[in-house]
Amino acid sequence: MKLSEQQTERLALHSAFAIHQIAKWMAGRTDVPADIRDRLASHIEAIEGVLVHTGHDWIHDEMQQTEAALHT
């Protein structure tokens, strides 16, 4: 099965939002190792950059908060 460009973009966006939700959940937990939190924060930063660059800047503040929470 080959996805169209639009379907591929939608899949990528939905995947990015799902990863953000998981990261947000993990940020509130105390049993997540520091190295995992740091790596996840880096991924969230990269995802946020791509989303903002492609016009999805409405999520910027929330992703910044998640990233900061992962570093605490």
Side-chain angles (χ1 to χ4, degrees):
M1 174 176 164
K2 182 159 173 68
L3 298 176
S4 69
E5 186 175 329
Q6 182 181 21
Q7 290 171 317
T8 301
E9 184 177 327
R10 288 188 66 195
L11 178 60
L13 285 171
H14 283 281
S15 298
F17 294 139
I19 291 169
H20 174 249
Q21 290 301 308
I22 293 165
K24 191 174 176 179
W25 174 75
M26 291 178 79
R29 299 187 54 90
T30 58
D31 60 343
V32 178
D35 63 321
I36 299 296
R37 294 171 73 90
D38 287 341
R39 290 175 62 196
L40 192 53
S42 296
H43 291 302
I44 291 299
E45 182 180 6
I47 289 169
E48 179 215 346
V50 171
L51 289 174
V52 168
H53 180 73
T54 58
H56 298 281
D57 56 349
W58 57 270
I59 192 86
H60 172 74
D61 292 340
E62 186 176 344
M63 291 190 104
Q64 288 280 310
Q65 291 170 358
T66 300
E67 184 185 343
L70 285 165
H71 286 297
T72 59

